[in-house]
Amino acid sequence: MTKYALYPGCLMPTEQYGYEVSMRSTLPLLGVELVDLEGFSCCGEPLKSINQMLTLTLSARNLAICEKEGLDILIPCPMCHLALSETKKILREDPKMKERINSKLAGEGLVYKGTSKLFHVIDLLHDVIGLDAIKEKVVKPLSDLNFATHYGCHLFRPSELGRPVDSENPQKMENILEVLGAKADDYAEKLDCCGGPLLPVHPETSLTKTGQKLQSIQEQGFSGMALSCPWCHKMYDSKQKKAGETVGAKLNVPVLYLTQLIGLAFGVEEDKLALDLNLSPVEKVLEGDQGVGS
Amino acid sequence: MSITDLTSRAEAQVAERKEINERLQKLQEEVSDFCYQCAKCTSGCEAHKLLELEPHKIVALLKRGLIDEMINSDMIWTCMSCFKCKERCPQKVAPVNILFTLKNLAVASGKQVPGDFTAMLQSAMGIGLIQDIQTVPTRAGETKTREQAGLPPCSKPKDPAKFQQTIMTVAMEKV
Ligand code: SF4
Ligand code: SF4
């Protein structure tokens, strides 16, 4: 087992339980031990519009908590992953800023050094664990299913920072779905934003973006959407009904976390994947899955 | 002083403004040298189609130093921070970063912050997270708590008073 500190962020541990439950059920089957640490806070990225120094301080603070244990970090949220990655870069290139941030952290007895490596679920699965190891564990292939993937903007942009997947042609989720037995065709809107960051300011427009992408996925006949971001899941799954109303369409797209799909293919029991918490019609996929020669 | 409401400060933060202004000035020098107004950023902008944000115009206004016009406009708050403009600019200009800095300046100048940002900030300062732990609906119309979902306790700052101290010094810092 390889140990990683789990940095949960805000959204996953306070409402997107399906992501956390399915991650905790599947990653250990692939040799990953998730270590829970006390004391984390928001990464600061959702507050960047208010104060960028706050983002820098909060991110460095969370990194420092993990460094104390000498662990590399698994960051399931693309937005947190961006904040922590950017903070590492800024503080590496600007020693004065590093000093200034450390003087803030001293009050809580923390020191930021910059020693931990950062992973998201996708690059951990694809690049560290590897497709062969995933394939070995598949007992119920997701045959006859074709998923539209949605990564979350912050997982592939800005590439200058070094992101876990390619910025113009991400394929890691596609490759993983393929070894699970499913298909994942490309589609024109693949790189488009879910609209989530606009929710606090312009809810209507935000949901229009969400609805438009779902509508297009539905029209193209995909079996569902596979994703790896708690914010996007909130928009596409939790708010799918509202998004449908906003764009005047009846939406029926099963939306699942990639880790839930991995669990299904590994034969993990459904309640250990928290599939009851997906509000979109995921039965369509579950039935399809059972119907397959497994 | 009320520490939890950063976004409705009556007095503009002079020192904070100075620092953000320096950041803007640096950005201004960069864009003046590099941006040639090709509008590639705007052609892919996620907020352009629905809300008429035009990142290339933001860059042009910054070039001309029309900063007050921008921080008084709601337009800067329509960016979805998708980073497409930064990714695709042939000249390595990052309109999205200009927008972040303009929003920071608007806040430090005591402008009204739109929408739910204030609630997120207050929650983050109070409990460390932008929202507290929720009870969530199931597809069958029931509800579940984090605990009922089988999850361990949620990680939060151990000493909220010390944590608040840390972030208050950042938010109120005099440079
Ligand atoms: S910021 Fe870049 S993409 Fe936008 S107009 Fe200027 S040069 Fe073109
Ligand atoms: S980051 Fe903002 S300005 Fe840039 S393309 Fe996205 S929505 Fe437009």
Side-chain angles (χ1 to χ4, degrees):
Chain A
M1 297 291 259
T2 314
K3 286 186 181 185
Y4 294 88
L6 173 65
Y7 171 67
C10 289
L11 204 66
M12 184 183 80
T14 58
E15 64 162 70
Q16 290 297 319
Y17 304 144
Y19 197 10
E20 191 170 342
V21 170
S22 58
M23 191 176 350
R24 289 182 189 272
S25 297
T26 50
L27 293 183
L29 303 175
L30 293 163
V32 171
E33 182 181 341
L34 296 174
V35 180
D36 292 305
L37 298 174
E38 282 183 13
F40 287 129
S41 59
C42 173
C43 69
E45 191 70 19
L47 306 171
K48 205 176 188 178
S49 294
I50 294 182
N51 187 328
Q52 297 185 77
M53 275 301 288
L54 199 56
T55 311
L56 216 51
T57 311
L58 287 172
S59 280
R61 180 185 177 278
N62 292 308
L63 288 164
I65 290 174
C66 300
E67 287 175 2
K68 223 173 167 177
E69 307 298 320
L71 291 169
D72 289 339
I73 313 173
L74 178 67
I75 311 162
C77 170
M79 197 190 262
C80 302
H81 189 286
L82 171 70
L84 269 51
S85 306
E86 187 168 36
T87 297
K88 270 191 80 162
K89 179 171 189 277
I90 291 173
L91 300 188
R92 186 173 58 233
E93 290 169 0
D94 188 348
K96 259 205 197 130
M97 184 60 93
K98 185 170 158 185
E99 220 172 273
R100 189 167 145 198
I101 297 284
N102 268 328
S103 74
K104 316 264 169 242
L105 300 184
E108 284 191 279
L110 293 167
V111 192
Y112 170 81
K113 298 196 195 83
T115 47
S116 293
K117 273 197 216 132
L118 315 184
F119 297 92
H120 178 266
V121 177
I122 301 285
D123 56 338
L124 185 74
L125 285 165
H126 191 277
D127 305 339
V128 182
I129 294 166
L131 295 172
D132 290 340
I134 299 172
K135 197 172 183 174
E136 255 175 43
K137 291 274 187 299
V138 175
V139 293
K140 284 177 73 183
L142 307 176
S143 325
D144 297 330
L145 296 171
N146 186 1
F147 288 100
T149 62
H150 179 91
Y151 286 80
C153 292
H154 301 120
L155 207 56
F156 44 65
R157 288 188 293 257
S159 58
E160 179 202 73
L161 265 183
R163 307 306 295 133
V165 294
D166 186 81
S167 68
E168 297 295 343
N169 186 20
Q171 290 295 333
K172 288 186 186 174
M173 222 194 303
E174 282 73 1
N175 295 341
I176 294 169
L177 284 163
E178 223 162 84
V179 299
L180 300 181
K183 276 186 15 174
D185 288 344
D186 281 330
Y187 60 108
E189 301 81 2
K190 183 164 132 181
L191 301 185
D192 285 358
C193 173
C194 70
L198 210 54
L199 197 62
V201 193
H202 290 277
E204 183 102 352
T205 313
S206 165
L207 287 163
T208 304
K209 282 225 73 91
T210 311
Q212 285 175 342
K213 186 156 171 172
L214 282 170
Q215 201 173 2
S216 157
I217 285 172
Q218 183 162 301
E219 280 162 8
Q220 291 173 57
F222 282 103
S223 332
M225 184 186 228
L227 44 70
S228 55
C229 170
W231 292 88
C232 304
H233 194 272
K234 180 184 173 120
M235 300 306 289
Y236 290 124
D237 179 82
S238 319
K239 293 193 180 293
Q240 182 170 137
K241 215 171 141 229
K242 259 201 179 149
E245 284 161 14
T246 312
V247 296
K250 192 152 176 30
L251 295 175
N252 258 313
V253 185
V255 177
L256 294 102
Y257 281 111
L258 180 70
T259 40
Q260 290 179 313
L261 291 169
I262 291 175
L264 285 173
F266 285 6
V268 176
E269 297 140 63
E270 281 181 23
D271 64 332
K272 294 213 170 112
L273 301 172
L275 286 156
D276 56 333
L277 299 181
N278 299 52
L279 299 185
S280 60
V282 294
E283 310 82 11
K284 292 209 281 185
V285 167
L286 305 180
E287 283 153 22
D289 169 47
Q290 277 157 10
V292 188
S294 54
Chain B
M1 158 178 25
S2 145
I3 59 163
T4 46
D5 199 352
L6 253 182
T7 58
S8 60
R9 279 169 294 170
E11 252 173 71
Q13 295 292 299
V14 179
E16 203 176 320
R17 274 194 64 135
K18 188 172 157 259
E19 192 186 11
I20 301 169
N21 263 319
E22 277 164 17
R23 247 189 282 158
L24 265 180
Q25 216 163 43
K26 225 179 113 206
L27 286 168
Q28 191 175 8
E29 279 157 24
E30 282 167 23
V31 301
S32 297
D33 282 349
F34 296 114
C35 172
Y36 45 51
Q37 287 293 299
C38 68
K40 194 173 178 200
C41 49
T42 299
S43 77
C45 174
E46 294 274 3
H48 175 59
K49 263 181 271 172
L50 295 168
L51 292 163
E52 291 159 13
L53 174 64
E54 296 179 293
H56 75 289
K57 286 204 179 148
I58 298 286
V59 179
L61 290 171
L62 178 66
K63 242 179 169 175
R64 276 181 248 146
L66 298 172
I67 288 164
D68 279 345
E69 282 74 357
M70 287 191 283
I71 65 169
N72 283 313
S73 154
D74 288 342
M75 195 56 89
I76 55 174
W77 294 92
T78 61
C79 167
M80 299 189 202
S81 58
C82 72
F83 291 89
K84 274 191 185 171
C85 53
K86 175 177 165 81
E87 190 66 36
R88 295 181 179 165
C89 170
Q91 291 294 91
K92 291 195 187 312
V93 176
V96 57
N97 287 348
I98 297 170
L99 285 159
F100 274 127
T101 306
L102 288 168
K103 285 179 275 183
N104 284 189
L105 186 61
V107 173
S109 311
K111 302 261 182 282
Q112 188 68 42
V113 175
D116 292 344
F117 276 114
T118 317
M120 285 200 281
L121 180 66
Q122 279 180 351
S123 173
M125 296 188 116
I127 59 165
L129 306 176
I130 56 167
Q131 67 177 13
D132 211 339
I133 303 165
Q134 317 271 310
T135 300
V136 298
T138 69
R139 202 164 54 263
E142 285 157 2
T143 57
K144 256 190 180 174
T145 61
R146 182 177 161 85
E147 206 183 347
Q148 283 165 339
L151 291 167
C154 176
S155 181
K156 283 181 186 174
K158 275 187 269 190
D159 185 339
K162 271 191 190 161
F163 171 74
Q164 274 165 16
Q165 198 54 43
T166 307
I167 53 177
M168 281 319 298
T169 59
V170 179
M172 295 295 175
E173 184 171 63
K174 303 272 177 278
V175 185

